[in-house]
Amino acid sequence: MKLNNLIWAAIAAALSVQSTPTPEFNTIEARLDEAARIGIRLNLTQACTRLQQQFSTRLYLPGSAVYDYETTTRYWTAVDYSTPACVFVPKEPSEISLFVQVVRLLNVKFAIRGGGHMPIPLYNNADSNGILLSTSNLTTLSISSDKNTLSVGPGRRWREVADYLASYGKAAVGGRVGKVGVPGLILGGGISFYSSQYGWGSDSVVKFQCVLASGQLIEATATNNYSDLFWALKAGGNSFCLVTRFDIKVYNSPSVWVGIAQYDASNREEYLNAVYTFGAFGSQDPKSAIVPTIIMAPAAGLTLYAATKFYDSPTLSPTVFQNFTAPVLTPLIDTITYQPLNDYLAQTDPLQPDALRQKFRTLTFVVNKDAVTYIHDTFTTRINELAAIPGVGASMTFQPITKNMLQAGANSGGNPIGLDANNGPYFAVVLNWNWLNAADDAAVSTFASGITAQLEAGLQSRGVSVGFRYLNDADKDQLVFQNYGAANLAKLKSVRSKYDSARVFTDLMPGGWKVAAA
Ligand SMILES: Cc1cc2nc3c(=O)[nH]c(=O)nc-3n(C[C@H](O)[C@H](O)[C@H](O)COP(=O)(O)OP(=O)(O)OC[C@H]3O[C@@H](n4cnc5c(N)ncnc54)[C@H](O)[C@@H]3O)c2cc1C
Ligand SMILES: *[C@@H]1O[C@H](CO)[C@@H](O)[C@H](O)[C@H]1NC(C)=O
Ligand SMILES: *[C@@H]1O[C@H](CO)[C@@H](O)[C@H](O)[C@H]1NC(C)=O
Ligand SMILES: *[C@@H]1O[C@H](CO)[C@@H](O)[C@H](O)[C@H]1NC(C)=O
Ligand SMILES: *[C@@H]1O[C@H](CO)[C@@H](O)[C@H](O)[C@H]1NC(C)=O
């Protein structure tokens, strides 16, 4: 690829580097050699200041309102807030290409953030030794002329996608919470209300547009020259390239049955049975989905039982939710109604408050009644050990990974996840803690790691433990790619080295799960 030497000239000017005439470089490596030769040795603070002078509508320094917005407001949780040396907010994919070349020239660390919902410090933000690349302004949202494919930029969240698609009577295989970002969810797989019909969110991607470590902007599809990269991006995370646009299949779904039911704690036994039976048999009706969540407020001694129920048809199945409805399990309240999905997402976004401290951990097991009860009982009992921590709350959600979901993924070309449909169905459990003060981070972490190990051992002894750890729900020390299966891991590693031999997205962009480290 012939690189645009205007970029070099602009950077050289910004950094006050004397290099005339502008040399001809055919590779970024040649340019890096030149940068080293003429001695680009600015420290990061200086570099940010000079880049700001050159790219004043894209580069924001500490103290500016945009900097504050991009380093706090755009994040879900306070654990992600940080103080990067500066924030770059491009509007065009070509500017990401320029950015990659700049950070490589300067040898500066960076992070990329989409919807900002991954609750792990520095997995989606940079510290003062790095630059934050915010995709907030990559806001493409357009539908193909046949109305079957949506092009969406990485600055979008699923609620915006649902709002846009509502006018076409279409739906995407995206987040069950509206404020979650498009890019992170897809790059980790993506569990959707529509997953039993269409697989992981990433299984509906038909094209990734992204910037490689070379700075080259490419498009990866299942059949073009980048088909290996296309496969890797369907749950391989951020080790490969910076995605600038997702083209995803969308499906007819003008309105759906969806709402949240709450149950009295005295119905614990019936509730757990309903969760279990849905996990075991729910996959038989792929139009259905549930999100069963048990919410704990230990200081108040409260345990709440809730379940989102979803059905993608104008006619609600009379049987699929029978164990979640009267007379088997009578809800205290139930908001299920036939409505456009974006209305439901608008109502429920406020249930996930911003700016708290948050942690996820995840476990997977083969659907089994005794294991559901065991996890429930252990977690709801032991959570009381955290009752003294200010503002502490917790939840556990049993996410069904149905055979239909895994089969749908395989049918659309497969992905790196490697969960065997034949051994399913599974529950991918997400455990969540939220609290108020950074001073309590260590106590919550210690507790969370300890109880996860205990639950894993309990699943092992019941013979239902599964290695899979869902990337989007995992905590920093949990093993993600190691559990995709040896062949998938080896393939991910070889694709990674093929497209980023210089380890730009591994070493210069250290945040996130790294294929090279697995
Ligand atoms: C309230 C809530 C609800 C959730 N609901 C669901 C759900 O229904 N289904 C589900 O599957 N998951 C769900 N999740 C998990 C969610 O999928 C992950 O948190 C996901 O990482 C969020 O994506 P994001 O774009 O908001 O994240 P970010 O934190 O912005 O990014 C996550 C990771 O992706 C990388 N990344 C971001 N953009 C790019 C890009 N353009 N190119 C390359 N790498 C990039 C980042 O560096 C980071 O490591 C939920 C999470 C929360 C907090
Ligand atoms: C970077 O350079 C500036 C200006 O010379 C200096 O004030 C600052 O301390 C330097 N920062 C670091 C981290 O070296
Ligand atoms: C993002 O785009 C909007 C709309 O064009 C613009 O008003 C805003 O200034 C941009 N933000 C940044 C940080 O560039
Ligand atoms: C295909 O991609 C490889 C790099 O992955 C590159 O070396 C090769 O030139 C490309 N071929 C075409 C036809 O684009
Ligand atoms: C409801 O639960 C019973 C056992 O308690 C089970 O036989 C039945 O299959 C369940 N129904 C559904 C739709 O899951």
Side-chain angles (χ1 to χ4, degrees):
M1 177 186 72
K2 192 82 172 169
L3 291 170
N4 177 358
N5 283 317
L6 285 175
I7 293 172
W8 171 263
I11 295 166
L15 303 180
S16 307
V17 172
Q18 302 306 316
S19 176
T20 44
T22 302
E24 282 291 316
F25 301 123
N26 290 322
T27 64
I28 184 116
E29 282 74 20
R31 211 182 288 188
L32 288 167
D33 289 347
E34 171 67 2
R37 194 186 64 75
I38 62 180
I40 295 186
R41 291 265 186 282
L42 289 175
N43 76 31
L44 184 52
T45 314
Q46 293 170 315
C48 278
T49 304
R50 295 200 194 168
L51 287 167
Q52 207 278 330
Q53 289 157 4
Q54 185 78 13
F55 307 107
S56 61
T57 61
R58 299 291 186 267
L59 211 287
Y60 295 89
L61 297 174
S64 65
V66 172
Y67 178 96
D68 291 343
Y69 172 76
E70 295 291 349
T71 54
T72 57
T73 313
R74 290 292 286 183
Y75 290 88
W76 176 52
T77 162
V79 306
D80 287 335
Y81 299 171
S82 186
T83 53
C86 52
V87 183
F88 183 62
V89 192
K91 290 203 79 160
E92 304 292 337
S94 61
E95 296 170 351
I96 294 206
S97 175
L98 178 143
F99 177 83
V100 168
Q101 298 175 59
V102 170
V103 290
R104 288 194 67 180
L105 278 167
L106 296 173
N107 200 29
V108 163
K109 290 204 161 58
F110 68 100
I112 185 168
R113 192 211 66 237
H117 273 64
M118 181 171 277
I120 304 182
L122 300 178
Y123 267 38
N124 53 13
N125 204 343
D127 65 15
S128 55
N129 295 314
I131 301 178
L132 172 63
L133 167 54
S134 161
T135 57
S136 298
N137 261 359
L138 290 167
T139 51
T140 296
L141 204 48
S142 65
I143 198 161
S144 60
S145 51
D146 68 4
K147 309 285 184 271
N148 289 326
T149 309
L150 177 81
S151 292
V152 53
R156 292 292 186 176
R157 301 178 183 222
W158 289 107
R159 191 171 144 197
E160 297 170 297
V161 169
D163 283 342
Y164 178 79
L165 291 176
S167 55
Y168 300 98
K170 297 279 181 176
V173 185
R176 298 159 301 179
V177 173
K179 58 168 81 173
V180 174
V182 168
L185 182 134
I186 290 181
L187 291 169
I191 304 174
S192 168
F193 288 131
Y194 295 92
S195 283
S196 280
Q197 290 182 85
Y198 309 116
W200 301 90
S202 61
D203 291 322
S204 285
V205 176
V206 294
K207 184 189 282 179
F208 295 94
Q209 182 196 62
C210 71
V211 173
L212 300 178
S214 62
Q216 197 182 351
L217 182 67
I218 61 99
E219 294 186 339
T221 72
T223 52
N224 75 3
N225 193 28
Y226 296 99
S227 59
D228 50 357
L229 180 61
F230 176 79
W231 173 86
L233 290 170
K234 290 206 272 179
N238 68 7
S239 291
F240 302 91
C241 62
L242 305 179
V243 181
T244 50
R245 198 186 77 216
F246 300 84
D247 290 355
I248 59 180
K249 276 192 257 176
V250 292
Y251 306 95
N252 291 329
S253 183
S255 282
V256 293
W257 285 93
V258 64
I260 303 177
Q262 286 178 46
Y263 306 95
D264 193 84
S266 64
N267 293 129
R268 161 193 167 280
E269 196 56 54
E270 293 81 3
Y271 176 89
L272 295 176
N273 186 60
V275 171
Y276 159 68
T277 56
F278 187 94
F281 311 116
S283 57
Q284 289 164 11
D285 188 340
K287 292 182 182 306
S288 66
I290 56 166
V291 188
T293 303
I294 300 156
I295 300 156
M296 289 146 274
L302 277 180
T303 308
L304 306 172
Y305 293 81
T308 301
K309 295 178 288 177
F310 172 92
Y311 201 73
D312 179 24
S313 166
T315 317
L316 183 58
S317 156
T319 53
V320 74
F321 298 126
Q322 82 186 62
N323 290 336
F324 279 103
T325 36
V328 183
L329 174 61
T330 306
L332 297 169
I333 48 170
D334 189 347
T335 65
I336 192 165
T337 179
Y338 189 61
Q339 59 185 323
L341 182 65
N342 64 323
D343 286 355
Y344 167 82
L345 295 177
Q347 292 150 30
T348 49
D349 256 356
L351 299 177
Q352 310 288 341
D354 292 336
L356 300 176
R357 304 194 78 76
Q358 299 274 0
K359 175 182 282 296
F360 285 166
R361 289 183 79 79
T362 185
L363 293 166
T364 308
F365 65 99
V366 177
V367 170
N368 170 280
K369 177 65 202 304
D370 178 45
V372 169
T373 304
Y374 163 73
I375 289 179
H376 165 274
D377 290 358
T378 307
F379 199 82
T380 54
T381 305
R382 283 203 57 196
I383 198 66
N384 294 313
E385 294 167 32
L386 294 182
I389 288 181
V392 77
S395 71
M396 94 186 98
T397 302
F398 292 89
Q399 305 179 99
I401 307 293
T402 67
K403 289 191 179 206
N404 276 318
M405 171 177 176
L406 299 173
Q407 198 54 56
N411 293 347
S412 61
N415 58 59
I417 287 175
L419 254 182
D420 184 355
N422 294 317
N423 292 340
Y426 307 98
F427 280 123
V429 183
V430 55
L431 308 175
N432 162 248
W433 294 264
N434 49 80
W435 66 102
L436 287 177
N437 302 320
D440 296 315
D441 289 6
V444 175
S445 284
T446 302
F447 176 84
S449 301
I451 193 167
T452 308
Q454 179 185 357
L455 294 174
E456 272 169 16
L459 293 173
Q460 287 276 353
S461 70
R462 285 166 178 78
V464 295
S465 174
V466 175
F468 176 63
R469 299 286 176 265
Y470 179 39
L471 186 156
N472 281 328
D473 292 337
D475 200 359
K476 192 170 182 163
D477 62 305
Q478 296 194 286
L479 303 182
V480 171
F481 305 125
Q482 289 88 334
N483 285 304
Y484 281 6
N488 286 341
L489 178 57
K491 192 169 161 196
L492 284 175
K493 283 178 179 277
S494 89
V495 174
R496 194 216 62 75
S497 357
K498 174 177 169 188
Y499 289 102
D500 184 13
S501 56
R503 296 173 62 104
V504 172
F505 302 124
T506 299
D507 296 337
L508 273 194
M509 190 176 91
W513 279 276
K514 297 298 169 182
V515 162

